Amino acid sequence: MAESLVQIFIEAVERYRKPAQFMRKLAGGWESIPADRALADVESLSLGLRDLGIAPGDRVAILSENRYEWAMADIAILGLGAVSVPIYPTLIAEQCRYILENSEARAVIVSSAAQLDKLHSIADQLPHLEFMIPIDPARARAAKDHPFEAVLARGATLRAANPGAFRESAAKLGPDTLATIIYTSGTTGEPKGAMLNHGNIAFDVDACLKVVALGPDDIQLSFLPLCHIFERMAGLYAMVRAGVTIAFAGSIDSVAADAMEVHPTVLTGVPRFYEKVYARVMENALAQPPLRKNIFFWGLHTGTELARARFERRRPSPWLAFKARIADRLVGAKVRERVGGRVRLCISGGAPLGPKVMEFFFAIGIPVIEGYGLTETSPVICLNVPGREKPGAVGPPIPGVELRIGEDGEVQTRGPHVMRGYYKNEAATRAALLDGWFRTGDVGRLDGDGSLVITDRLKDLLVTAGGKKVAPQPLESQLKTSKWISEAVLLGDKRPYVIALVVPNYSNLESDARTRGFSFSDRDALLALPSSRALIQGEIDRINAGLSSFEQVKRFALLPRDLTQEAGELTPTLKVKRRVISERFAAVIEGLYPAGPAPAGP
């Protein structure tokens, strides 16, 4: 195993010498960045930061969208023995202030003028913050502002004078050197800074690569936030370690167009990304003329049969294998073309992936390998083994990781992947670590072949007034596969029954209403249409059909707007903040619990 994350990068550059170690999209098209240039950029930036006075142990924040310079800055900071502190660019100024203050960051590498403005609005509250380094050209407004290009140029001069300086610094790093403090977005309370050593993340990289094979012929399209440990470990360091070319997407909105240009072989995404792809493909299929629609669903059904044989470890019959080849030519291959035509593997993490969505991707010929973990575990704990995938399960523990099910069904883990603790928060560290075992807060069980099945978050479990426990996340995932539903939040803790707050897919709902000849002036009028409620009720009935009475959604309300990160309702990884939702829509919720007995049925 590598001693440090910087060693992973240096070894990969020397081993592969790729003409396209990284790729980025510029105004004139895609630029390939050779491995030697990437190393030179990292060395120059690192020495430039050292020239500013950044020393081992100092915290340096990165406030930026996913881009080449993010990866470059991270490795440069680590090469000094300093500690990188990633910050989501979607956070508001006050949230950024808390992280910068708590971490006592001396410098921030910031992407744009807009992000720099955010920092300037809070700079007078941050006495430890000495340097703000904007990547994009921005007008210097204070002595603290140091243009990225200027820092890089100064470092390049120092590098020319002493070519071995960066490696001398990097050689002092060990597995126990603190690499990063990552502030958990948290669905409740203030964020906590998880401290991860170089050895934590390097171990996770090597353990995951023993399960999933990647190589120098692969190209990954990177679009998730690098400030999230999943993309940083799996989408950056594991890819670099395996010699994969990393192409940074122009933005999250340009992924489909970028894929058509880059032709990636590997994608890493969160379940919401895969859910949106699934919904878009199904919506498009339903809009096709009858013949094309019938061919699509025949092909999908055939692909699903083949996928289920794989999941059940059955050899498909000769007839099914023959049909599947035709179905793939008519349907699967055409869908794959929309993501560049070469994707051979997708990796999913960050939240549970709905079995129906996973089955769909296998049916169209794109295997999705689902993993499970948390920021505090670097992050991967479990990972499905290719060829042994199982929808609804996240696979066995990766090599070298221990796993057990504790009280109340809580998943607990121990091993080299577990964090050092929470920064300046001993009480939270003691609560999370029990004799070396990290308490995940997730509820799960191990199935017959040792794969972990996550059923819900311990804190998210709904315990009804009758004492019945309901796991909301699997039901929410089922609802979100509907073309009519964008978001669903189930509530009912200490209440007589379960309810749902539903954000409709307004585009599809509006299209349906117009097709039916209904007129409406705004969203409120649209939601008031009987057809709108009927469509959502149909989806509620669909999931209720397979549930016990106490699990069924008895009432629901339609929300007139999307849930957003800006409103504090979603985490940066798009997980619902259930407590915030309960407070924000308290009046709506109370209206779903009128006086009197609970509804008898769905």
Side-chain angles (χ1 to χ4, degrees), residues 272 275 460 472-482 484-491 498-505 536 539-540 542-543 553 556-559 561-563 569-570 574-578 581:
R272 194 69 186 117
E275 289 165 359
D460 280 353
Q473 286 189 0
L475 306 182
E476 291 166 348
S477 294
Q478 288 184 53
L479 284 171
K480 288 189 289 185
T481 62
S482 166
W484 307 115
I485 296 176
S486 176
E487 186 63 80
V489 184
L490 269 59
L491 302 166
V498 176
I499 63 167
L501 301 182
V502 176
V503 178
N505 183 314
I536 305 301
E539 298 304 308
I540 299 286
R542 174 173 61 85
I543 69 159
V553 177
F556 68 92
L558 302 180
L559 301 184
R561 64 171 178 82
D562 294 330
L563 305 181
E569 297 153 348
L570 300 177
L574 305 183
K575 296 175 186 174
V576 169
K577 293 186 176 182
R578 217 171 290 275
I581 298 300

Side-chain angles (χ1 to χ4, degrees), residues 36 279 393 451 500:
D36 289 342
S451 288

Side-chain angles (χ1 to χ4, degrees), residues 373-427:
L374 298 93
T375 299
E376 295 87 342
T377 58
S378 305
V380 179
I381 299 171
C382 295
L383 189 61
N384 266 300
V385 178
R388 290 168 47 197
E389 307 90 350
K390 183 183 294 186
V394 292
I398 58 176
V401 164
E402 294 181 77
L403 187 72
R404 72 181 184 186
I405 306 299
E407 295 180 7
D408 297 324
E410 183 183 36
V411 178
Q412 299 177 4
T413 186
R414 182 170 67 180
H417 60 313
V418 174
M419 67 171 181
R420 179 188 298 189
Y422 294 114
Y423 187 62
K424 296 195 297 187
N425 197 334
E426 292 183 9

Side-chain angles (χ1 to χ4, degrees), residues 298-310:
W298 173 83
L300 183 62
H301 175 75
T302 303
T304 301
E305 284 187 86
L306 189 68
R308 288 175 180 169
R310 174 175 176 148

Side-chain angles (χ1 to χ4, degrees), residues 217-219 259 262-266 336-345 366:
D217 292 333
D218 282 312
I219 299 175
V262 170
H263 305 289
T265 62
V266 182
R336 294 195 299 274
E337 280 298 322
R338 298 179 192 174
V339 286
R342 296 181 61 224
V343 174
R344 67 174 186 85
L345 179 71
I366 301 179

Side-chain angles (χ1 to χ4, degrees), residues 25 222 231 350 495 555:
K25 194 170 188 178
S222 175
E231 182 66 14
R495 298 282 198 164
R555 289 193 169 103

Side-chain angles (χ1 to χ4, degrees), residues 259-314:
M260 293 296 290
E261 297 171 349
V262 170
H263 305 289
T265 62
V266 182
L267 294 173
T268 54
V270 293
R272 194 69 186 117
F273 168 73
Y274 298 111
E275 289 165 359
K276 286 183 176 180
V277 172
Y278 167 78
R280 195 174 299 121
V281 171
M282 296 300 287
E283 179 183 345
N284 182 64
L286 289 168
Q288 296 299 312
L291 179 59
R292 288 187 179 180
K293 182 163 62 175
N294 290 339
I295 290 173
F296 173 85
F297 282 103
W298 173 83
L300 183 62
H301 175 75
T302 303
T304 301
E305 284 187 86
L306 189 68
R308 288 175 180 169
R310 174 175 176 148
F311 299 145
E312 296 166 7
R313 317 291 182 258
R314 289 187 289 108

Side-chain angles (χ1 to χ4, degrees), residues 129-442:
L129 185 61
E130 300 174 47
F131 311 107
M132 291 184 280
I133 305 169
I135 297 170
D136 295 336
R139 180 175 59 86
R141 300 191 317 187
K144 292 182 178 182
D145 294 349
H146 295 260
F148 185 88
E149 286 299 327
V151 176
L152 191 65
R154 174 59 180 159
T157 301
L158 295 171
R159 176 175 173 269
N162 185 358
F166 175 80
R167 294 191 185 218
E168 289 171 11
S169 175
K172 299 174 184 177
L173 304 173
D176 294 329
T177 304
L178 181 62
T180 187
I181 302 173
I182 303 178
Y183 284 80
T184 58
S185 52
T187 54
T188 60
E190 291 285 4
K192 300 186 291 288
M195 296 185 288
L196 297 178
N197 297 334
H198 281 263
N200 292 140
I201 303 173
F203 164 82
D204 220 58
V205 165
D206 287 340
C208 289
L209 289 175
K210 290 175 183 175
V211 179
V212 177
L214 300 170
D217 292 333
D218 282 312
I219 299 175
Q220 183 228 4
L221 181 61
S222 175
F223 57 88
L224 293 179
L226 278 162
C227 38
H228 190 273
I229 185 59
F230 170 52
E231 182 66 14
R232 190 165 166 201
M233 187 286 291
L236 175 58
Y237 285 106
M239 299 296 167
V240 167
R241 181 71 151 174
V244 177
T245 293
I246 302 173
F248 295 101
S251 72
I252 189 69
D253 297 323
S254 69
V255 170
D258 292 344
M260 293 296 290
E261 297 171 349
V262 170
H263 305 289
T265 62
V266 182
L267 294 173
T268 54
V270 293
R272 194 69 186 117
F273 168 73
Y274 298 111
E275 289 165 359
K276 286 183 176 180
V277 172
Y278 167 78
R280 195 174 299 121
V281 171
M282 296 300 287
E283 179 183 345
N284 182 64
L286 289 168
Q288 296 299 312
L291 179 59
R292 288 187 179 180
K293 182 163 62 175
N294 290 339
I295 290 173
F296 173 85
F297 282 103
W298 173 83
L300 183 62
H301 175 75
T302 303
T304 301
E305 284 187 86
L306 189 68
R308 288 175 180 169
R310 174 175 176 148
F311 299 145
E312 296 166 7
R313 317 291 182 258
R314 289 187 289 108
R315 186 171 183 170
S317 68
W319 175 238
L320 176 57
F322 172 72
K323 286 197 304 176
R325 286 194 294 271
I326 298 172
D328 186 66
R329 200 169 296 131
L330 294 174
V331 177
K334 288 182 169 55
V335 177
R336 294 195 299 274
E337 280 298 322
R338 298 179 192 174
V339 286
R342 296 181 61 224
V343 174
R344 67 174 186 85
L345 179 71
C346 288
I347 301 170
S348 178
L353 180 66
K356 184 175 181 180
V357 176
M358 183 175 179
E359 188 176 80
F360 164 79
F361 275 88
F362 275 88
I364 62 170
I366 301 179
V368 177
I369 306 300
E370 184 177 14
Y372 161 73
L374 298 93
T375 299
E376 295 87 342
T377 58
S378 305
V380 179
I381 299 171
C382 295
L383 189 61
N384 266 300
V385 178
R388 290 168 47 197
E389 307 90 350
K390 183 183 294 186
V394 292
I398 58 176
V401 164
E402 294 181 77
L403 187 72
R404 72 181 184 186
I405 306 299
E407 295 180 7
D408 297 324
E410 183 183 36
V411 178
Q412 299 177 4
T413 186
R414 182 170 67 180
H417 60 313
V418 174
M419 67 171 181
R420 179 188 298 189
Y422 294 114
Y423 187 62
K424 296 195 297 187
N425 197 334
E426 292 183 9
T429 300
R430 286 194 301 271
L433 296 172
L434 181 66
D435 298 326
W437 290 89
F438 175 69
R439 305 176 62 179
T440 66
D442 287 318

